[in-house]
Every structure is written in C-alpha cells, then in structure tokens.
Amino acid sequence: MDALNIFIKSVFVENMIFAFFLGMCSYLAISKTVKTSMGLGLAVVFVLIVTVPVNYLIDRYLLQKGALTWLSNSFAEIDLSFLSFIIFIAVVAGIVQLVEMFVERYSPSLYSQLGIFLPLIAVNCAILGCSLFMQKRDYGNIGEVFSFAFGSGIGWLLAIVGIAAIRERLKYSNIPPALKGLGIAFIITGLMAMAFQSFSGIKL
Amino acid sequence: MANNKKLITMPFSKENPIIVQVLGICSCLAVTVKLQPAVVMALSVTVVVMMSNLFISLLRNTIPPRIRIIVQLVVVALFVILVDQFLKAFAYDVSKQLSVYVGLIITNCIVMGRLEAFAMSNKPLPSLLDGLGNGLGYGIILVVVGFIRELFGFGTLWNMRVLPDSFYKAGYENNGLMVMPAMALILVGIIIWVHRNKNKDLIENE
C-alpha cells in the first residue's frame, strides 16, 4: 500500500517537472513532436528505475553514516555521504552509456531522432535529482524506492508527452511573434503546473 | 582585450544562458521563491562554472574525446562538493533551503553546456571569463525572478518586510500564487517575451 501511495504521489503531486522543475532543459528542447518525446520519456523512465535503486543500495551500504558496519563494527563512525554526488553521477553516467549502446543497436531510428540528447540524459537533472531526493527522504525499503523512481519517470513522461501534443497543435495558432517557441512553452508549462496543483493532497 | 570584455557582457542579454541558450532552467525556477537563496545559488553556480571552465580548458588537450563527458562530470562534481561543504559550514540555513539543488549544479546544463561549447576549444583565460559572464547572466534572471516572487508572494525582500502594515490594513493580500511553482514558469515566460520584443533578431520562426 505504501509503495502504491508513493507511486501516485510521485506521478501527480510531486511531479518532477511541475513541482520541482527537474529535467526542464530536455523537456523544452525535445518536446516538438509527440513521437520523439515519447522515446525520450521512455528512456528517462528506464534509466530512472535502474539508477535510483542502485544508488539507494550504494547509499545504504557504503555511504551513510554507519553504513559500513556490515564489514566491521569499527567502521560505525565513518560517514562518506559527502562523496554521494560524485558516486551517484558516476553510476548515472555509466548506466546511460549502457542504454545508449542498447538503443543504437536495437532501434537506430530512435537513436537518430534522439541524437545528442541521449548522452545528455546523463546530465538530465531529473535523473540525479531523483537520486538525491531518494537520499533526502530516507525511504524504508527498496520496494518504496523503486516505486518512487518509476512514478517520477512516469510523471516526467506524462508531462513531456502532454506538452509535445499541445505544441504540435500550437503551430497553427496565432501567437505574438516574440512569444513564439520558448516563451509560450514556458507559459503553457506554468498552466499545466497549475492544473497539476489540483492533485495535491491526494492519498490512497 | 575588447574580445575578453565581450565574453563577460554578451551573456547578460544577447546570449543569456537562461532565456536565449535555454540552459539551466531547472534550478532557476526552483530556488527563486525568495531572494536570498536565489543570490546564493547564483554565486555558487558562478563559482562552479568559472572554476570548471578554467580546469577543463587547462586539461582540454589531454582529455580523450570519447570519455570527455565523464571527465567533465568528475571535475564539476569536485567543485560542487566543495561549494556544498562550504555552504553547509558557513550558511547552513540557506543550504537547507536549497536542499538538493546544490547537488544538482552538477547536472546544471549551463556548466556542461559551457564546457562543451567553450572550454573544450579555448584558452584558459577566455574560458574563465566566459564562465564568469555566463554565471552572472544566469544570476541576473534568478535575481529578477526571486525579487518579484518574494516581493509579491511574501511582501518581504531578503527576509525583511518592505510593504508597510498600512497596505495590509487597507486590504492588500500577499499573492499566494507567486509562491507556487507555476508562477515561476509564467514569470520566466514573460521575461522571455519582453526580452524578445527588445531583440527582434531572437524571435523564432517555426
């Protein structure tokens, strides 16, 4: 039940884009067509559900204060959490490299569409941000962490596909020239964020 | 010398990292609820982007192109850890407010973007100045957004009350919407609108 609750919460209430603005750069740059944004969204979901649990285990058994007691009791005072940034980002970069090779091999069309943005998932703030939130919020077990990661990914996918669909339509509308492109994308995201605000407080 | 000056001033408006290059949006929106965290964040990003630009530029001829992203991330992460520890030691309250967003400077696109686009192909001194310029250009937007949100959302500036009590007695209310995430997005959208009206050549033709 807890895990399901965390999932719903991270999709709607604490949406990565609308509540924390994570991953805005690729969100704005890749959201011109629904098809590519779907591809990127799925890549983000995949990378999230792999990296966040891995980072959780690393944090739990290597970095936290007293985490090394499974080796020997004399390590109880060691606190390596200042290393977490660099370790988390290394894990993320490694796994992204893996996904990139995988996509290049099995779906060249998707690969050519995502272009430069696939390696840039490594520096997508949503991925690292999710790991850091996981560390901050202190989830109880790996199931909860997994559902948090999965929910955040789905939330991100939902947001990017949503804005891509709106932007596809927007091509035909009459926008003040200075607002075209980036400006209107920001304002629409703001409106979507307001809509998502209405989910706050939902609990199962 | 004129060129060096340009490196600092261009990112203020014509090549602003946020509203023109579209880099580093995430943190720009998240830390601007109040002015103080916005300024601290702007300074932190400026320091990180300057130092990592300098170091990557010094190393640029020795980094193998295939693994350059990892090398850049390690250098950036080093400086972010330093900034994070520094903030925890000397400005604990602000560092609590910024929470994960200090760590997220690592993946701030401004840093990576400038490393890729500038530091990898330029000498150390121009790279340092480019970092300074982009950090400040980023800071300007943060300060503007933070200023507006804190003034209208809380009636304070830098945590000090600026709107007099008589305002509130006359029926003025703080605008709760300004504190919400949604308003940050709309404010940046409006800034982009105004800026592009002034600089017609930036208008996109889709």
Side-chain angles (χ1 to χ4, degrees), chain A residues 18 20-25 82 85-86 89 93 123 125 128-129 132-133 136 177-182 186 189-190 193-194 197, chain B residues 19 22 25-26 29-30 70 77 81 84-85 100-101 103-104 106-107 109 112 180-182 185-186 189 192-193 196-197 203-204 206:
Chain A
F18 299 132
F20 298 116
F21 316 106
L22 296 178
M24 283 298 286
C25 310
F82 66 93
F85 292 164
I86 207 162
I89 196 70
V123 289
C125 0
L128 183 67
L132 292 177
F133 274 123
K136 251 215 155 88
L179 258 183
K180 257 184 197 159
L182 192 60
F186 264 103
T189 312
M194 267 186 224
Q197 215 104 64
Chain B
I19 57 180
V22 205
I25 312 280
C26 338
L29 300 165
I70 300 270
I81 289 176
D84 182 48
Q85 299 288 326
V100 299
Y101 292 98
L104 285 174
I106 300 177
T107 55
C109 332
M112 293 302 284
M180 304 273 199
L185 288 158
I186 294 178
I192 292 172
W193 189 7
R196 292 202 176 169
N197 257 328
I203 291 174
E204 291 171 46
E206 282 183 29

Tab-separated table of all heavy atoms in Angstrom, chain A residues 18 20-25 82 85-86 89 93 123 125 128-129 132-133 136 177-182 186 189-190 193-194 197, chain B residues 19 22 25-26 29-30 70 77 81 84-85 100-101 103-104 106-107 109 112 180-182 185-186 189 192-193 196-197 203-204 206:
chain	number	residue	atom	x	y	z
A	18	PHE	N	6.544	19.611	-12.821
A	18	PHE	CA	5.646	20.684	-12.401
A	18	PHE	C	5.885	21.124	-10.964
A	18	PHE	O	5.542	22.237	-10.597
A	18	PHE	CB	4.196	20.264	-12.600
A	18	PHE	CG	3.877	19.978	-14.022
A	18	PHE	CD1	3.219	18.836	-14.394
A	18	PHE	CD2	4.281	20.867	-14.997
A	18	PHE	CE1	2.944	18.575	-15.723
A	18	PHE	CE2	4.014	20.614	-16.327
A	18	PHE	CZ	3.340	19.461	-16.686
A	20	PHE	N	9.067	20.322	-9.173
A	20	PHE	CA	10.489	20.538	-8.878
A	20	PHE	C	11.292	21.050	-10.071
A	20	PHE	O	12.485	21.285	-9.947
A	20	PHE	CB	11.116	19.238	-8.384
A	20	PHE	CG	10.502	18.738	-7.127
A	20	PHE	CD1	9.829	17.537	-7.088
A	20	PHE	CD2	10.581	19.484	-5.978
A	20	PHE	CE1	9.241	17.090	-5.917
A	20	PHE	CE2	10.012	19.047	-4.804
A	20	PHE	CZ	9.342	17.852	-4.769
A	21	PHE	N	10.675	21.189	-11.214
A	21	PHE	CA	11.351	21.703	-12.421
A	21	PHE	C	12.582	20.898	-12.799
A	21	PHE	O	13.552	21.455	-13.280
A	21	PHE	CB	11.793	23.146	-12.244
A	21	PHE	CG	10.787	24.019	-11.620
A	21	PHE	CD1	10.929	24.431	-10.321
A	21	PHE	CD2	9.688	24.427	-12.335
A	21	PHE	CE1	9.988	25.244	-9.736
A	21	PHE	CE2	8.756	25.250	-11.752
A	21	PHE	CZ	8.900	25.655	-10.454
A	22	LEU	N	12.576	19.604	-12.548
A	22	LEU	CA	13.774	18.838	-12.896
A	22	LEU	C	13.669	18.322	-14.320
A	22	LEU	O	12.618	17.841	-14.735
A	22	LEU	CB	13.968	17.690	-11.919
A	22	LEU	CG	14.224	18.164	-10.501
A	22	LEU	CD1	14.357	16.994	-9.569
A	22	LEU	CD2	15.454	19.014	-10.451
A	23	GLY	N	14.772	18.408	-15.047
A	23	GLY	CA	14.780	17.946	-16.419
A	23	GLY	C	14.124	18.907	-17.383
A	23	GLY	O	13.655	18.518	-18.442
A	24	MET	N	14.118	20.203	-16.995
A	24	MET	CA	13.454	21.185	-17.853
A	24	MET	C	14.153	21.360	-19.196
A	24	MET	O	13.499	21.635	-20.200
A	24	MET	CB	13.425	22.549	-17.166
A	24	MET	CG	12.411	22.692	-16.086
A	24	MET	SD	10.746	22.502	-16.660
A	24	MET	CE	10.490	24.031	-17.502
A	25	CYS	N	15.470	21.222	-19.220
A	25	CYS	CA	16.188	21.563	-20.448
A	25	CYS	C	15.784	20.642	-21.586
A	25	CYS	O	15.360	21.093	-22.642
A	25	CYS	CB	17.690	21.493	-20.230
A	25	CYS	SG	18.203	22.398	-18.784
A	82	PHE	N	29.505	12.714	2.002
A	82	PHE	CA	29.952	13.840	1.166
A	82	PHE	C	30.372	13.359	-0.212
A	82	PHE	O	30.486	14.149	-1.141
A	82	PHE	CB	31.096	14.608	1.851
A	82	PHE	CG	32.366	13.824	1.999
A	82	PHE	CD1	33.344	13.907	1.027
A	82	PHE	CD2	32.574	13.017	3.099
A	82	PHE	CE1	34.509	13.186	1.148
A	82	PHE	CE2	33.736	12.296	3.229
A	82	PHE	CZ	34.712	12.378	2.255
A	85	PHE	N	27.471	12.820	-4.188
A	85	PHE	CA	27.292	13.460	-5.504
A	85	PHE	C	28.096	12.744	-6.573
A	85	PHE	O	27.588	12.373	-7.620
A	85	PHE	CB	27.771	14.918	-5.484
A	85	PHE	CG	26.930	15.827	-4.650
A	85	PHE	CD1	27.410	17.072	-4.267
A	85	PHE	CD2	25.676	15.447	-4.237
A	85	PHE	CE1	26.651	17.912	-3.495
A	85	PHE	CE2	24.910	16.276	-3.469
A	85	PHE	CZ	25.391	17.521	-3.095
A	86	ILE	N	29.369	12.568	-6.267
A	86	ILE	CA	30.267	12.075	-7.317
A	86	ILE	C	29.961	10.610	-7.628
A	86	ILE	O	29.989	10.185	-8.788
A	86	ILE	CB	31.733	12.331	-6.906
A	86	ILE	CG1	32.597	12.467	-8.131
A	86	ILE	CG2	32.255	11.284	-5.972
A	86	ILE	CD1	33.902	13.123	-7.865
A	89	ILE	N	26.578	10.418	-9.643
A	89	ILE	CA	26.671	10.843	-11.037
A	89	ILE	C	27.476	9.832	-11.853
A	89	ILE	O	27.191	9.610	-13.032
A	89	ILE	CB	27.230	12.284	-11.149
A	89	ILE	CG1	26.963	12.873	-12.528
A	89	ILE	CG2	28.695	12.375	-10.870
A	89	ILE	CD1	25.550	13.193	-12.802
A	93	ALA	N	26.017	8.114	-15.144
A	93	ALA	CA	26.703	8.222	-16.436
A	93	ALA	C	26.989	6.842	-17.009
A	93	ALA	O	26.828	6.607	-18.208
A	93	ALA	CB	27.992	9.018	-16.278
A	123	VAL	N	23.227	14.051	-17.928
A	123	VAL	CA	23.207	15.313	-17.206
A	123	VAL	C	21.793	15.871	-17.131
A	123	VAL	O	21.600	17.045	-16.881
A	123	VAL	CB	24.151	16.353	-17.846
A	123	VAL	CG1	25.567	15.968	-17.615
A	123	VAL	CG2	23.855	16.532	-19.299
A	125	CYS	N	18.782	16.681	-15.150
A	125	CYS	CA	18.696	16.853	-13.699
A	125	CYS	C	17.659	15.932	-13.084
A	125	CYS	O	17.738	15.606	-11.909
A	125	CYS	CB	18.389	18.285	-13.311
A	125	CYS	SG	18.200	19.402	-14.653
A	128	LEU	N	19.568	12.682	-11.704
A	128	LEU	CA	20.343	12.891	-10.481
A	128	LEU	C	19.436	13.409	-9.371
A	128	LEU	O	19.560	13.003	-8.213
A	128	LEU	CB	21.485	13.881	-10.740
A	128	LEU	CG	22.395	14.110	-9.544
A	128	LEU	CD1	23.168	12.853	-9.221
A	128	LEU	CD2	23.348	15.247	-9.787
A	129	GLY	N	18.492	14.274	-9.733
A	129	GLY	CA	17.592	14.836	-8.736
A	129	GLY	C	16.802	13.753	-8.030
A	129	GLY	O	16.621	13.782	-6.816
A	132	LEU	N	18.945	12.133	-5.520
A	132	LEU	CA	19.186	12.986	-4.350
A	132	LEU	C	17.942	13.074	-3.474
A	132	LEU	O	18.052	13.072	-2.243
A	132	LEU	CB	19.630	14.381	-4.790
A	132	LEU	CG	20.999	14.439	-5.454
A	132	LEU	CD1	21.311	15.838	-5.927
A	132	LEU	CD2	22.075	13.992	-4.496
A	133	PHE	N	16.760	13.136	-4.098
A	133	PHE	CA	15.532	13.158	-3.298
A	133	PHE	C	15.382	11.841	-2.537
A	133	PHE	O	14.954	11.828	-1.382
A	133	PHE	CB	14.308	13.377	-4.187
A	133	PHE	CG	14.016	14.817	-4.439
A	133	PHE	CD1	13.944	15.319	-5.717
A	133	PHE	CD2	13.818	15.681	-3.379
A	133	PHE	CE1	13.689	16.647	-5.945
A	133	PHE	CE2	13.550	17.011	-3.599
A	133	PHE	CZ	13.491	17.501	-4.879
A	136	LYS	N	17.470	12.116	0.416
A	136	LYS	CA	16.925	13.056	1.395
A	136	LYS	C	15.743	12.482	2.152
A	136	LYS	O	15.583	12.692	3.336
A	136	LYS	CB	16.434	14.299	0.652
A	136	LYS	CG	17.305	15.427	0.918
A	136	LYS	CD	16.969	16.765	1.044
A	136	LYS	CE	18.053	17.387	1.890
A	136	LYS	NZ	19.175	17.875	1.199
A	177	PRO	N	4.598	37.221	-32.133
A	177	PRO	CA	5.869	36.691	-32.622
A	177	PRO	C	6.922	36.533	-31.533
A	177	PRO	O	7.660	35.549	-31.524
A	177	PRO	CB	6.313	37.708	-33.683
A	177	PRO	CG	5.315	38.787	-33.674
A	177	PRO	CD	4.111	38.340	-32.939
A	178	ALA	N	6.997	37.465	-30.579
A	178	ALA	CA	8.052	37.380	-29.583
A	178	ALA	C	7.817	36.252	-28.594
A	178	ALA	O	8.721	35.832	-27.899
A	178	ALA	CB	8.168	38.706	-28.831
A	179	LEU	N	6.596	35.749	-28.530
A	179	LEU	CA	6.306	34.662	-27.599
A	179	LEU	C	6.497	33.299	-28.240
A	179	LEU	O	6.492	32.293	-27.567
A	179	LEU	CB	4.856	34.771	-27.118
A	179	LEU	CG	4.622	35.343	-25.722
A	179	LEU	CD1	3.139	35.287	-25.422
A	179	LEU	CD2	5.366	34.563	-24.669
A	180	LYS	N	6.647	33.280	-29.567
A	180	LYS	CA	6.711	32.011	-30.291
A	180	LYS	C	7.815	31.109	-29.749
A	180	LYS	O	8.862	31.590	-29.353
A	180	LYS	CB	6.959	32.268	-31.777
A	180	LYS	CG	5.705	32.109	-32.579
A	180	LYS	CD	5.995	32.270	-34.053
A	180	LYS	CE	4.694	32.519	-34.785
A	180	LYS	NZ	4.892	33.143	-36.058
A	181	GLY	N	7.570	29.818	-29.765
A	181	GLY	CA	8.598	28.869	-29.351
A	181	GLY	C	8.762	28.827	-27.844
A	181	GLY	O	7.876	28.393	-27.125
A	182	LEU	N	9.896	29.328	-27.393
A	182	LEU	CA	10.252	29.170	-25.985
A	182	LEU	C	9.274	29.845	-25.030
A	182	LEU	O	8.829	29.244	-24.051
A	182	LEU	CB	11.659	29.742	-25.787
A	182	LEU	CG	12.308	29.425	-24.458
A	182	LEU	CD1	12.426	27.930	-24.284
A	182	LEU	CD2	13.666	30.075	-24.398
A	186	PHE	N	6.968	28.012	-22.008
A	186	PHE	CA	7.057	28.280	-20.571
A	186	PHE	C	5.677	28.544	-19.987
A	186	PHE	O	5.311	28.006	-18.942
A	186	PHE	CB	7.926	29.505	-20.311
A	186	PHE	CG	9.340	29.150	-19.989
A	186	PHE	CD1	10.332	29.281	-20.928
A	186	PHE	CD2	9.667	28.694	-18.727
A	186	PHE	CE1	11.632	28.953	-20.631
A	186	PHE	CE2	10.954	28.361	-18.421
A	186	PHE	CZ	11.952	28.494	-19.377
A	189	THR	N	3.595	25.462	-19.790
A	189	THR	CA	4.037	24.601	-18.686
A	189	THR	C	3.519	25.139	-17.363
A	189	THR	O	3.100	24.367	-16.491
A	189	THR	CB	5.563	24.515	-18.657
A	189	THR	OG1	6.026	24.242	-19.966
A	189	THR	CG2	6.012	23.429	-17.727
A	190	GLY	N	3.539	26.459	-17.215
A	190	GLY	CA	3.007	27.068	-15.998
A	190	GLY	C	1.540	26.722	-15.807
A	190	GLY	O	1.126	26.339	-14.714
A	193	ALA	N	1.227	23.196	-14.814
A	193	ALA	CA	1.623	23.021	-13.419
A	193	ALA	C	0.473	23.398	-12.497
A	193	ALA	O	0.222	22.747	-11.490
A	193	ALA	CB	2.856	23.866	-13.112
A	194	MET	N	-0.245	24.478	-12.861
A	194	MET	CA	-1.389	24.877	-12.050
A	194	MET	C	-2.434	23.778	-12.037
A	194	MET	O	-3.028	23.473	-11.004
A	194	MET	CB	-2.025	26.139	-12.632
A	194	MET	CG	-1.507	27.408	-12.020
A	194	MET	SD	-2.471	28.748	-12.696
A	194	MET	CE	-1.174	29.902	-13.018
A	197	GLN	N	-1.508	21.132	-9.781
A	197	GLN	CA	-1.604	21.527	-8.372
A	197	GLN	C	-2.886	20.993	-7.741
A	197	GLN	O	-2.944	20.722	-6.545
A	197	GLN	CB	-1.619	23.048	-8.290
A	197	GLN	CG	-0.909	23.580	-7.071
A	197	GLN	CD	0.418	24.128	-7.451
A	197	GLN	OE1	0.491	25.103	-8.191
A	197	GLN	NE2	1.476	23.527	-6.980
B	19	ILE	N	17.471	32.635	-20.907
B	19	ILE	CA	16.376	32.977	-21.804
B	19	ILE	C	16.741	32.884	-23.276
B	19	ILE	O	15.858	32.918	-24.113
B	19	ILE	CB	15.778	34.362	-21.475
B	19	ILE	CG1	16.849	35.423	-21.534
B	19	ILE	CG2	15.107	34.358	-20.130
B	19	ILE	CD1	16.309	36.792	-21.216
B	22	VAL	N	18.706	28.665	-23.329
B	22	VAL	CA	17.856	27.668	-22.670
B	22	VAL	C	18.677	26.647	-21.897
B	22	VAL	O	18.517	25.440	-22.047
B	22	VAL	CB	16.941	26.922	-23.653
B	22	VAL	CG1	15.725	26.396	-22.911
B	22	VAL	CG2	16.497	27.808	-24.755
B	25	ILE	N	17.565	25.772	-16.678
B	25	ILE	CA	16.252	26.251	-16.292
B	25	ILE	C	15.845	25.721	-14.916
B	25	ILE	O	15.278	26.447	-14.105
B	25	ILE	CB	15.188	25.785	-17.301
B	25	ILE	CG1	15.648	26.054	-18.710
B	25	ILE	CG2	13.865	26.425	-17.017
B	25	ILE	CD1	15.478	27.437	-19.146
B	26	CYS	N	16.148	24.436	-14.684
B	26	CYS	CA	15.568	23.758	-13.506
B	26	CYS	C	15.826	24.554	-12.237
B	26	CYS	O	14.909	24.937	-11.517
B	26	CYS	CB	16.170	22.383	-13.327
B	26	CYS	SG	16.888	21.667	-14.790
B	29	LEU	N	14.209	28.020	-11.670
B	29	LEU	CA	12.829	28.135	-11.231
B	29	LEU	C	12.653	27.707	-9.785
B	29	LEU	O	11.839	28.257	-9.055
B	29	LEU	CB	11.944	27.275	-12.120
B	29	LEU	CG	11.992	27.665	-13.586
B	29	LEU	CD1	11.396	26.586	-14.437
B	29	LEU	CD2	11.254	28.956	-13.780
B	30	ALA	N	13.440	26.740	-9.369
B	30	ALA	CA	13.168	26.123	-8.079
B	30	ALA	C	13.674	26.944	-6.906
B	30	ALA	O	13.099	26.890	-5.832
B	30	ALA	CB	13.797	24.742	-8.035
B	70	ILE	N	32.533	12.070	-18.974
B	70	ILE	CA	32.831	11.573	-17.624
B	70	ILE	C	33.866	12.475	-16.961
B	70	ILE	O	33.729	12.861	-15.792
B	70	ILE	CB	33.357	10.133	-17.695
B	70	ILE	CG1	32.325	9.224	-18.319
B	70	ILE	CG2	33.774	9.663	-16.314
B	70	ILE	CD1	31.375	8.604	-17.362
B	77	ALA	N	31.789	17.805	-10.454
B	77	ALA	CA	31.343	17.257	-9.172
B	77	ALA	C	32.291	17.663	-8.049
B	77	ALA	O	31.859	17.973	-6.937
B	77	ALA	CB	31.250	15.737	-9.253
B	81	ILE	N	31.001	19.635	-4.786
B	81	ILE	CA	31.180	19.127	-3.415
B	81	ILE	C	31.823	20.209	-2.554
B	81	ILE	O	31.402	20.449	-1.415
B	81	ILE	CB	32.030	17.847	-3.431
B	81	ILE	CG1	31.229	16.698	-4.040
B	81	ILE	CG2	32.453	17.468	-2.018
B	81	ILE	CD1	31.998	15.419	-4.191
B	84	ASP	N	29.238	22.809	-1.794
B	84	ASP	CA	28.234	22.268	-0.880
B	84	ASP	C	28.763	22.234	0.552
B	84	ASP	O	28.087	22.673	1.487
B	84	ASP	CB	27.856	20.861	-1.351
B	84	ASP	CG	26.777	20.244	-0.491
B	84	ASP	OD1	25.778	20.943	-0.256
B	84	ASP	OD2	26.931	19.097	-0.056
B	85	GLN	N	29.996	21.750	0.709
B	85	GLN	CA	30.571	21.691	2.058
B	85	GLN	C	30.753	23.089	2.618
B	85	GLN	O	30.536	23.341	3.796
B	85	GLN	CB	31.922	20.957	2.037
B	85	GLN	CG	31.842	19.527	1.562
B	85	GLN	CD	31.179	18.617	2.569
B	85	GLN	OE1	31.306	18.798	3.772
B	85	GLN	NE2	30.442	17.628	2.091
B	100	VAL	N	18.342	19.852	-2.446
B	100	VAL	CA	19.065	19.078	-3.460
B	100	VAL	C	19.602	19.932	-4.597
B	100	VAL	O	20.409	19.467	-5.388
B	100	VAL	CB	18.180	17.977	-4.063
B	100	VAL	CG1	17.743	17.010	-2.999
B	100	VAL	CG2	16.998	18.556	-4.768
B	101	TYR	N	19.172	21.180	-4.664
B	101	TYR	CA	19.547	21.943	-5.858
B	101	TYR	C	21.020	22.325	-5.897
B	101	TYR	O	21.550	22.629	-6.965
B	101	TYR	CB	18.648	23.160	-6.011
B	101	TYR	CG	17.242	22.737	-6.351
B	101	TYR	CD1	16.270	22.639	-5.380
B	101	TYR	CD2	16.923	22.346	-7.638
B	101	TYR	CE1	14.998	22.187	-5.676
B	101	TYR	CE2	15.661	21.892	-7.951
B	101	TYR	CZ	14.703	21.818	-6.976
B	101	TYR	OH	13.455	21.356	-7.276
B	103	GLY	N	23.383	20.105	-5.119
B	103	GLY	CA	23.924	18.926	-5.777
B	103	GLY	C	23.604	18.914	-7.255
B	103	GLY	O	24.394	18.447	-8.069
B	104	LEU	N	22.469	19.486	-7.582
B	104	LEU	CA	22.046	19.473	-8.982
B	104	LEU	C	22.824	20.448	-9.849
B	104	LEU	O	22.635	20.467	-11.053
B	104	LEU	CB	20.551	19.754	-9.081
B	104	LEU	CG	19.694	18.569	-8.658
B	104	LEU	CD1	18.242	18.943	-8.626
B	104	LEU	CD2	19.900	17.419	-9.608
B	106	ILE	N	25.710	20.003	-10.506
B	106	ILE	CA	26.499	19.080	-11.338
B	106	ILE	C	25.831	18.895	-12.685
B	106	ILE	O	26.485	18.910	-13.730
B	106	ILE	CB	26.617	17.700	-10.666
B	106	ILE	CG1	27.284	17.813	-9.315
B	106	ILE	CG2	27.378	16.734	-11.564
B	106	ILE	CD1	27.345	16.494	-8.588
B	107	THR	N	24.534	18.696	-12.647
B	107	THR	CA	23.838	18.435	-13.910
B	107	THR	C	23.198	19.699	-14.457
B	107	THR	O	22.372	19.625	-15.350
B	107	THR	CB	22.754	17.377	-13.724
B	107	THR	OG1	21.894	17.806	-12.671
B	107	THR	CG2	23.340	16.058	-13.390
B	109	CYS	N	22.703	22.409	-16.812
B	109	CYS	CA	23.143	22.404	-18.206
B	109	CYS	C	24.082	23.558	-18.514
B	109	CYS	O	24.867	23.472	-19.445
B	109	CYS	CB	21.957	22.466	-19.153
B	109	CYS	SG	20.472	21.779	-18.513
B	112	MET	N	27.694	22.145	-18.067
B	112	MET	CA	28.087	21.227	-19.137
B	112	MET	C	28.086	21.925	-20.488
B	112	MET	O	28.970	21.720	-21.311
B	112	MET	CB	27.116	20.054	-19.191
B	112	MET	CG	27.166	19.156	-17.997
B	112	MET	SD	28.794	18.486	-17.744
B	112	MET	CE	28.815	17.247	-19.012
B	180	MET	N	3.798	29.547	-5.615
B	180	MET	CA	3.613	28.270	-6.301
B	180	MET	C	4.629	28.112	-7.426
B	180	MET	O	5.048	29.094	-8.041
B	180	MET	CB	2.220	28.215	-6.928
B	180	MET	CG	1.113	28.433	-5.949
B	180	MET	SD	0.705	26.887	-5.226
B	180	MET	CE	-0.905	27.256	-4.598
B	181	PRO	N	4.982	26.847	-7.747
B	181	PRO	CA	5.917	26.619	-8.849
B	181	PRO	C	5.411	27.190	-10.174
B	181	PRO	O	6.197	27.696	-10.978
B	181	PRO	CB	6.013	25.103	-8.932
B	181	PRO	CG	5.405	24.556	-7.716
B	181	PRO	CD	4.585	25.606	-7.076
B	182	ALA	N	4.092	27.135	-10.380
B	182	ALA	CA	3.554	27.521	-11.681
B	182	ALA	C	3.940	28.950	-12.047
B	182	ALA	O	4.267	29.258	-13.186
B	182	ALA	CB	2.037	27.384	-11.666
B	185	LEU	N	7.341	29.629	-13.728
B	185	LEU	CA	7.374	29.350	-15.166
B	185	LEU	C	6.782	30.506	-15.951
B	185	LEU	O	7.346	30.959	-16.952
B	185	LEU	CB	6.570	28.086	-15.445
B	185	LEU	CG	7.217	26.786	-14.983
B	185	LEU	CD1	6.181	25.704	-14.798
B	185	LEU	CD2	8.227	26.341	-16.003
B	186	ILE	N	5.636	31.005	-15.473
B	186	ILE	CA	4.971	32.062	-16.219
B	186	ILE	C	5.819	33.341	-16.192
B	186	ILE	O	5.945	34.025	-17.212
B	186	ILE	CB	3.552	32.286	-15.655
B	186	ILE	CG1	2.728	31.019	-15.941
B	186	ILE	CG2	2.902	33.499	-16.275
B	186	ILE	CD1	1.340	31.039	-15.412
B	189	GLY	N	8.476	33.013	-18.660
B	189	GLY	CA	7.867	33.177	-19.979
B	189	GLY	C	7.684	34.637	-20.327
B	189	GLY	O	7.975	35.069	-21.441
B	192	ILE	N	10.978	36.301	-21.109
B	192	ILE	CA	11.388	35.975	-22.483
B	192	ILE	C	10.629	36.839	-23.488
B	192	ILE	O	11.206	37.374	-24.442
B	192	ILE	CB	11.143	34.486	-22.770
B	192	ILE	CG1	12.090	33.634	-21.938
B	192	ILE	CG2	11.326	34.188	-24.240
B	192	ILE	CD1	11.792	32.164	-22.006
B	193	TRP	N	9.374	37.020	-23.239
B	193	TRP	CA	8.527	37.807	-24.146
B	193	TRP	C	9.055	39.239	-24.249
B	193	TRP	O	9.293	39.766	-25.352
B	193	TRP	CB	7.094	37.783	-23.609
B	193	TRP	CG	6.065	38.366	-24.524
B	193	TRP	CD1	6.260	38.786	-25.809
B	193	TRP	CD2	4.688	38.589	-24.211
B	193	TRP	NE1	5.073	39.239	-26.317
B	193	TRP	CE2	4.098	39.141	-25.365
B	193	TRP	CE3	3.894	38.370	-23.085
B	193	TRP	CZ2	2.751	39.487	-25.409
B	193	TRP	CZ3	2.563	38.707	-23.134
B	193	TRP	CH2	1.995	39.258	-24.292
B	196	ARG	N	12.509	39.394	-25.996
B	196	ARG	CA	12.483	39.203	-27.448
B	196	ARG	C	11.823	40.368	-28.164
B	196	ARG	O	12.116	40.610	-29.328
B	196	ARG	CB	11.771	37.902	-27.788
B	196	ARG	CG	12.605	36.756	-27.311
B	196	ARG	CD	12.323	35.482	-27.989
B	196	ARG	NE	13.298	34.537	-27.458
B	196	ARG	CZ	13.265	33.248	-27.639
B	196	ARG	NH1	12.306	32.738	-28.365
B	196	ARG	NH2	14.187	32.471	-27.132
B	197	ASN	N	10.941	41.048	-27.466
B	197	ASN	CA	10.382	42.242	-28.084
B	197	ASN	C	11.446	43.297	-28.266
B	197	ASN	O	11.432	44.063	-29.221
B	197	ASN	CB	9.248	42.794	-27.223
B	197	ASN	CG	7.904	42.458	-27.810
B	197	ASN	OD1	7.778	42.375	-29.033
B	197	ASN	ND2	6.920	42.255	-26.965
B	203	ILE	N	13.699	36.330	-32.304
B	203	ILE	CA	12.375	35.726	-32.455
B	203	ILE	C	12.451	34.466	-33.295
B	203	ILE	O	13.111	34.443	-34.338
B	203	ILE	CB	11.393	36.741	-33.079
B	203	ILE	CG1	11.133	37.840	-32.071
B	203	ILE	CG2	10.112	36.061	-33.506
B	203	ILE	CD1	10.308	38.974	-32.609
B	204	GLU	N	11.804	33.397	-32.806
B	204	GLU	CA	11.837	32.119	-33.521
B	204	GLU	C	10.783	32.103	-34.625
B	204	GLU	O	9.668	32.568	-34.428
B	204	GLU	CB	11.528	30.970	-32.557
B	204	GLU	CG	12.604	30.716	-31.543
B	204	GLU	CD	12.163	29.719	-30.492
B	204	GLU	OE1	11.597	28.676	-30.866
B	204	GLU	OE2	12.375	29.979	-29.312
B	206	GLU	N	8.936	29.345	-36.510
B	206	GLU	CA	8.747	27.905	-36.635
B	206	GLU	C	8.003	27.575	-37.908
B	206	GLU	O	7.162	28.321	-38.333
B	206	GLU	CB	7.971	27.365	-35.424
B	206	GLU	CG	8.877	27.233	-34.222
B	206	GLU	CD	8.141	26.622	-33.018
B	206	GLU	OE1	7.207	25.846	-33.238
B	206	GLU	OE2	8.504	26.963	-31.911
